[in-house]
Amino acid sequence: MPLAFLHRLRDRMPHRPASPLPGGAGALDLRVDDPVGLPMAGVTVSVRNLGAQEVTQGRTDPNGRLTVTLRPGTYRLVVTSDGFRPVRCEAEVVAGERTAPRPIALEPAPALPLPAAGQWRIDPDHSAIRFTARHIGLAEIHGRFNRFEGGLWIGERMADSRVEVAIEAASIDTGVRMRDEHLRSAEFLDVARFPYLQFTGERFVHKGGGRWAVQGVLHLHGVSRTVQLDTRYLGIGTGIAGETRTACQAVTELHREDFTLDWRKMLAKGIAAIGATIRVELDIQAIRPE
């Protein structure tokens, strides 16, 4: 009964009048539903031509809808959302018409097997720690840390797990020697006084599908702050030497001023050389010792 009411309510909701189509173009008015027929927001829809090249990509709105305007022709749609099976289908776009294919229904994907309980060693040769920051408020600069080590201690319950990572601050690498030397100096990382960045995460929270939030403490530049890694678990695999591996991707944003990282001379002149927010991305593989 409640679901029937929600269906009727959704169908009665007023829709904005469709905007006119550009000359010679058509449109697809797509709708994506969950397994019980309710709209799914934030679903990624990739539109590709018959040569498998992506033409456009978008995400569904809070009503599970997405409209794409395209040249006439046949297109292949790939619909994906974390924790659900991908859906692939074809749709025809007709010049001057708005086509509304039948709603796309997503079904839950099988859960990936979790790592076995015990210790896992992070493999730095198949892992990466990268960052992105704004340069003088304009273009982005990209860098990485080349030397780090750590491990995972997987509990009998995943929520009871722990991760520790130690990053050598002097291994920062943005591809520009003068800039890297400045980042290692006392005005930024001060690697002589603080040779390591350390992260310890002791709270694993399942967010659905393969998504986890790993909460912990980052020690950087003599300051400790709580941070959260938004993590996507990728599963278990076997390496070329027969070793068992597990992998994940994670991202977080750090606020430079939280760790007292300032370029004092440039800031005194009113120029922010490094943006206030730094995005950190991790690709991690870990090996279970035999």
Side-chain angles (χ1 to χ4, degrees):
M1 191 66 173
L3 285 179
F5 171 75
L6 289 173
H7 281 297
R8 290 196 300 271
L9 181 62
R10 183 185 67 187
D11 293 338
R12 291 175 184 171
M13 289 178 64
H15 297 294
R16 294 180 180 177
S19 57
L21 296 171
L28 292 177
D29 291 325
L30 304 172
R31 195 181 90 200
V32 181
D33 290 346
D34 68 11
V36 296
L38 295 177
M40 287 187 65
V43 176
T44 299
V45 180
S46 173
V47 181
R48 305 175 184 182
N49 60 26
L50 294 182
Q53 295 176 319
E54 186 172 75
V55 176
T56 188
Q57 184 187 103
R59 290 179 180 270
T60 56
D61 67 15
N63 295 315
R65 297 179 183 275
L66 173 67
T67 296
V68 289
T69 303
L70 301 160
R71 294 179 178 179
T74 302
Y75 293 89
R76 290 175 177 160
L77 310 180
V78 181
V79 184
T80 55
S81 185
D82 194 32
F84 293 85
R85 295 180 185 271
V87 171
R88 294 173 173 83
C89 58
E90 288 191 357
E92 189 75 23
V93 174
V94 179
E97 295 186 11
R98 309 185 73 91
T99 305
R102 61 183 299 179
I104 299 168
L106 297 186
E107 295 294 336
L112 293 171
L114 294 174
Q119 183 175 355
W120 295 71
R121 177 181 62 83
I122 292 176
D123 178 8
D125 292 337
H126 294 88
S127 301
I129 300 177
R130 300 180 295 271
F131 62 87
T132 305
R134 288 278 181 182
H135 180 241
I136 61 171
L138 297 175
E140 292 181 338
I141 60 170
H142 303 267
R144 60 184 292 151
F145 289 95
N146 291 324
R147 293 187 294 277
F148 53 89
E149 61 182 18
L152 297 161
W153 287 263
I154 305 299
E156 295 295 337
R157 295 190 318 131
M158 195 69 182
D160 298 328
S161 302
R162 187 173 89 256
V163 58
E164 293 183 1
V165 182
I167 305 167
E168 189 175 327
S171 73
I172 193 168
D173 181 359
T174 66
V176 178
R177 183 177 60 83
M178 184 178 296
R179 180 167 60 206
D180 291 344
E181 290 175 355
H182 196 183
L183 291 172
R184 297 182 187 111
S185 73
E187 290 187 328
F188 278 105
L189 292 177
D190 197 359
V191 300
R193 293 177 58 204
F194 309 109
Y196 293 98
L197 293 71
Q198 294 177 302
F199 175 76
T200 302
E202 295 186 315
R203 188 167 183 230
F204 286 57
V205 179
H206 191 213
K207 308 296 284 188
R211 295 178 296 116
W212 291 78
V214 179
Q215 300 169 352
V217 177
L218 175 65
H219 306 278
L220 192 166
H221 200 250
V223 178
S224 300
R225 291 285 185 269
T226 300
V227 300
Q228 176 172 297
L229 302 181
D230 295 321
T231 306
R232 183 182 175 211
Y233 173 61
L234 301 177
I236 303 290
T238 303
I240 58 175
E243 74 280 11
T244 302
R245 292 176 172 268
T246 188
C248 70
Q249 296 173 330
V251 64
T252 191
E253 287 192 347
L254 306 179
H255 295 279
R256 173 173 53 80
E257 286 139 355
D258 287 348
F259 297 92
T260 65
L261 295 173
D262 288 320
W263 191 348
R264 299 180 187 88
K265 293 180 180 178
M266 294 300 286
L267 287 173
K269 298 177 183 178
I271 301 175
I274 298 295
T277 301
I278 300 170
R279 179 181 173 88
V280 181
E281 299 176 347
L282 303 94
D283 284 297
I284 300 297
Q285 286 193 36
I287 303 172
R288 187 178 186 189
E290 296 299 329

